[in-house]
Amino acid sequence: MGVTSMRRRGTLKTGLLPGGNVALEKIGLTEEDVRDEIMSEEQDLVKELVTMSTRECIQAIRDLPMCMEDKKNIRNQVLASKSSKKGFLLTCSADCSEQISLSLRRCGVGLSSARQAVRLWQGTMKEIGGRFGTSVLSYFSFLKWLLMFNTISFLVNFGFITIPQLVQTSGRSPDVRFTGLELITGAGYFNQTVMYYGGYINGTKDSDFKYNMQLAYFFTIAAYLVLCGVSLIYSMARSFRRNFVLSDLSSGSAWRLLCSWDFSMVNERAVRQRKNNLRVQLKESLSEMMQTNFLPVSERMKQLGIHLCTWVVSAGLAAGSCAAIYYLCQYNLQQIKVSQNPGNLKEEASTLLLPFVVSLFNLVIPLLYSLLSKVENYSNPRFQIYVIILRNVFLKMSILSILCFHWVNNVTTNVPMCWESYVGQDLYRLVIVNFFFSIFGSFFGEFLRRIIGTRCMPSIGIPEFDIATNVLDLIYAQTLTWIGIYFSPLLPLIQMIKLFLLFYLKKVSLNRNCQPPRRSGRAAQMQTIYIALLFFPSFVGALSLVAYTVWCLTPSDSCGPFQGLNTTFEAVSLWMEDTAIISEFSWAVWIYSHMIKSELFFFLLALIFLVLIYFFWQITQGRKMLIILLKEQIINEGKDKAFLLEKLRTFQNLSLVPYHAENVHGPQYFERTYQTESDYSEGYQRGACPEEDTPPFASSALMQAMMARRQAEEEDEEY
Amino acid sequence: MGNKQTIFTPQQLDAYQVGHSARREAGLFYRYHNLAPQLVPLDYTSKPDVKLPYELIGSMPELKDNPFRQRIAQVFSEDGEGNMTLDDFLDMFSALSEMAPRDLKAYYAFKIYDFNDDDYICKSDLEKTLNKLTRNELTEDEVRMVCEKVIDESDLDNDGRLSLEDFQHMIVRAPDFLSTFHIRI
C-alpha cells in the first residue's frame, strides 16, 4: 500500500532538509533528486486514492501518518484529479448529487457534534480517568453501559405493557393505604399496582379494549431479552478478538516500558505515583529474572495441599450459605401459611430478613475469600485475581440458583395468591437491600479503611479501589433485574435509579478515600472477562429461568394476564390457532408449526452449526501455522537486509575512496564520517547528541539505494 | 461561544475532515485561542500564520504533567522545536483522540520515543524513555538490564534496535495501548 512508502517519505523530508544540503552533495545527490522521488511517491498515492469511493478515500486520508497540511495537499490533489476526470461527463445531475452528498455530510457532522455535547457524565469520566487511570475508569464505563440496558428495558416495558394497562384500568385504585415501608419491602400498596405481574390483566375478554395484553407482555419481554443477548454476544466477541486473540499472555518489560504509560493522567500526584509503581514493577521483574524457580518436591506438595484445602473451604462456605438461605426461605413460606393478618407491619418487616441475610453473605464471604488467598502463594498475580473472581462468581451464582430453585419449586405450589407477584416482591427487596449494602460496603471498605490506614495503623495505608468486587456486585444486581423482568416489569426503573445514585456515590468515595492502583494490570483483558461473565452465568441463567417459567410453569389462576392458561406459552399457541383461520397468514402458521414447534428443525440447525464450528476451528489452526511461518520469514528478511546493506556499504566505500580512505572500518562507521564534519553538525541540531553513534540520516538504507540507482544510471549512460 | 462558520470558511471546515478530531474543531480552536488570546485571531478565514511557542503548549493542563510533553510537541510541530500552528494543534489532538486507528497511534508513539529521530528506537532512546518514566531512580546496571530485556523481547529482525515494524508488532500484542495512548480534551 502507499501508506508504508508515505511513512518513509515523511521521515525522509524531515531528516534531510534541515542540514542536509552539504551532506547530499557529498554523496552525489541533489535536493531536487530527493524531491522528485518524494513527488513520484505522492503521485502514486493520489492515483490509488482516486480509485476509491469518497468515504473510503476520506477514511484512508485520515489514517495517513502525515501532518495536516500534507494531508490537505493530498486531498486537494485527489479532488482536482477526480473533478478533471468527471469534467468530460459533467452533467447537471452529477453536479447536483455532488452538492447533495456534500450537504448531507455537513449535516451529519453537525448532528454528531450535537450528540457529543449531550453525552452523559463525559466531564466526570475524564476527571476520573485523569486521576486514577484507565482500569478504574473501566468500572464506571461498565456502569454506564448497564444503565443503558436498563433504560431501554424500562422504556420498552413502560411503553408496550404499562401504559396500555394504565389506560385500561384508569379510575380503579387499590384499597390498601400507602405507608413508607413499601419503598423497601415492595409489598402492601405496590402489590396490586402495575409494579408487579399481578397488576396486569388481559382486558380483551371483558371489554371492547382491543389490546391483547397476553401477547404484548410475552413478546415485549421476549424481544427485549433477545436484543440483550445479541448485543452482549456482539460486545463479547468484539472485545475478545481485540484483547485476547492477538495479545501476548506474558507481560514483559517491553510492554510495561513502552506501551503501558497512561497519557491521559493529568494529576501531578497521580503521575508521580504511577512513576513509582512502574519503577517498583520493573525492579520486581528484574529480580524475578534472577531468581530460580525450582522448588523441591516437598514444597510443591505442600503448595498443592494448601490450594486444595482453600478450595474445599471456599466450596464449603458457599454450600453453607446456600443451605442457610434455603432454610430461611422455607421458614418464610411457613410464616405466610401461618399468618392470618396480611397487613401486619411486623410481618412485612420480617420479609426483609431474607434479602438482608443474602446481601450479608455476599459482602462477608468474599472478604473471607481474600483472606484465604493471602494464605495461598500464587506465583502469578494475575492468576490470583482470576481465582478470586472465580470463587466470588461461584458463590453468587450458587446463592441465586438456590433462590431460583426455591421460587420455581416451592413458591408456585405453596403460595395461596399470586405467586408471580410474590417472586417479584422478593426480587424487589433483594435489589433494594443490595443497594444499601453497596453503600455500606463502600463506607466500610473505603472510608473506614482510609481512616484506620491514616490515623491508627499507617502500615496499611490508603486503600485502592477494588475493581473486581465492585464489578461483580454490578453483575449480580443486573442478574436480579433480568430475572425480575418477567415478574415485575418496572424493576428496571428501580435498577436505573439505583445505578444513577451509585455512580455519584462511588465517585465521591473514590475521590476522597482511594489511591490509584499500584499494579498497572491488563485492564483490557479484564474488561473482556467482565463482559463474558455478564453474558455467561448472568444473562444465560436469567434467560433460562424466564424461559422455564414461560414454557413449563402454570400461571396463577387469580391474577395476571395469563390467568386460566396451562402455560404462558399457550397464549402464543392459541393466537396461532386463531390466525390459522385467516388464510393470508398461513405462511406464519406454517413457520410456527413446522419450525418453532418441531424438534427436528432445531436438531438439524444444531448439527449445521457444529459442522461450521469445526470448519472455522480448522481455519484458525491453519492461520496459527501461517503466523509462525511469517514470523520466521521476518527474521530471515532482517538478516538479509543487514547482509545486503553491508555489501552495499563495502562496495560504495571502495568506489568513493577519495572521501573516506581513512574511514573504511566496516559497516557501522560509514555514517559516522558525516558527524565529524563540523559544518554538517551545525545544521543538524535537533535531538542528536554529538557523542552518540547514531546515523544522521533518517533512512540510510533508502539513501544508499537511491545512490546505487544513480550510479547504475550513470554507468548505463557511459555505455 | 461563536459559531463555527465565523471562524472558518466552509471549505476550511471541509478540509479539516482529514483529521480524526473532525467534529471538534470549534472546541479545539477555542482551547488554542485561550492559550494566547492576544496572538490568536478569532477569524481564521484569512488563514493567518500564527505559531504558539512551546512554553504555552506545554502549560496546558492536559500536558503539563506528562513526562513526554516536550517530545509530543516536537513530533507534532512543523519546525520540530515544539512551536505549534493551529493545524499542528489539531493534528496532535486528532492522533491522540480515541478514534485514531492503532497504526496511526503506533506511528506517532514510535516517533515520540525516538529521541534522536533516526527512525529506530535504539538503546539510548530506551534509556532516555526509562529515565523519564522512573525519575532517574534506577541504577545504571538496572537501566542497562531493562533496556537489554526490552530489545530482546521485541526485536524481530535482530538488528539490535527497534524499527517501526517491531514496535507495531509489539503494539498489536498490547491491547491496552489504544486506551492509554489517549489524551482527553
Side-chain angles (χ1 to χ4, degrees), chain A residues 4 7-8 10-11 14 58-59 61-69 71-72 75 102 106 108-109 112-113 116 119 122 125-126 129-130 134 137 242-244 246-248 252-268 271-272 274-276 278-279 282-283 285-286 289-290 521-525 631 634-635 637-639 641 684 686-689 692 694-699, chain B residues 4 10-11 14-20 22-24 31 61-62 64-68 72 78-81 87-88 90-91 94 96 98-99 101-104 107-108 112-113 115-122 124 126 128-130 132-135 137-138 142 145-146 149-150 153-154 156-159 161-162 164-165 167-185:
Chain A
T4 4
R7 277 194 212 129
R8 289 196 187 281
T11 52
T14 53
I58 293 181
Q59 192 61 38
I61 296 181
R62 265 194 203 149
D63 293 344
L64 283 174
M66 288 190 239
C67 68
M68 201 166 270
E69 211 179 287
K71 282 198 226 185
K72 283 192 211 173
R75 180 178 173 268
L102 194 65
R106 284 188 188 155
V109 164
S112 50
S113 60
Q116 277 243 353
R119 262 210 202 144
Q122 185 88 322
M125 308 232 330
K126 175 183 162 183
T134 0
L137 188 63
R242 221 175 344 144
N243 301 332
F244 263 101
L246 295 171
S247 73
D248 192 13
S253 290
W255 162 77
R256 209 169 266 135
L257 180 62
L258 290 176
C259 308
S260 70
W261 180 260
D262 198 344
F263 277 70
S264 60
M265 292 191 107
V266 295
N267 187 330
E268 196 199 323
V271 165
R272 226 180 323 139
R274 191 71 178 237
K275 285 185 185 175
N276 272 336
L278 185 63
R279 178 174 53 92
L282 283 172
K283 282 204 174 175
S285 79
L286 280 179
M289 250 178 20
M290 309 213 266
R522 296 291 190 107
Q525 284 181 342
K631 274 194 187 161
I634 293 178
I635 296 177
E637 296 276 319
K639 289 184 190 156
K641 183 171 93 167
Y684 193 81
R686 181 166 42 113
C689 293
E692 289 170 8
T694 48
F697 285 132
S699 177
Chain B
K4 249 199 259 195
Q11 286 77 21
D14 273 341
Y16 279 129
Q17 301 299 316
V18 297
H20 281 278
R23 281 131 206 188
R24 299 177 292 150
R31 291 300 302 270
E62 283 85 359
K64 74 171 164 54
D65 292 311
N66 195 320
F68 294 107
I72 295 175
E78 217 176 281
D79 59 0
E81 300 284 329
D87 275 358
D88 297 335
L90 289 174
D91 227 356
S94 139
L96 287 164
E98 52 194 358
M99 288 177 290
R102 182 175 23 213
D103 282 341
L104 194 68
Y107 174 73
Y108 281 114
I112 289 174
Y113 292 134
F115 281 81
N116 50 12
D117 276 320
D118 60 350
D119 225 14
Y120 287 101
I121 295 182
C122 56
S124 62
L126 285 174
K128 287 209 187 94
T129 309
L130 191 56
K132 275 204 194 283
L133 284 178
T134 59
R135 305 195 299 160
E137 281 179 24
L138 291 178
E142 284 169 343
M145 272 172 42
V146 170
K149 194 160 176 255
V150 168
E153 280 172 10
S154 30
L156 277 184
D157 48 11
N158 280 332
D159 55 357
R161 47 198 181 165
L162 299 183
L164 179 60
E165 283 74 26
F167 188 72
Q168 278 186 324
H169 182 77
M170 192 166 61
I171 296 290
V172 157
R173 293 183 296 161
D176 289 301
F177 178 72
L178 278 174
S179 50
T180 55
F181 193 72
H182 168 46
I183 292 187
R184 288 181 185 83
I185 186 163

Side-chain angles (χ1 to χ4, degrees), chain A residues 212-232:
Chain A
N212 193 339
M213 183 59 77
Q214 288 180 341
L215 294 178
Y217 202 94
F218 177 78
F219 280 119
T220 310
I221 291 180
Y224 169 70
L225 286 174
V226 164
L227 186 69
C228 253
V230 165
S231 144
L232 276 174

Side-chain angles (χ1 to χ4, degrees), chain A residues 4-21:
Chain A
T4 4
S5 62
M6 293 319 285
R7 277 194 212 129
R8 289 196 187 281
R9 180 219 126 165
T11 52
L12 204 58
K13 188 168 146 188
T14 53
L16 279 177
L17 297 177
N21 290 352

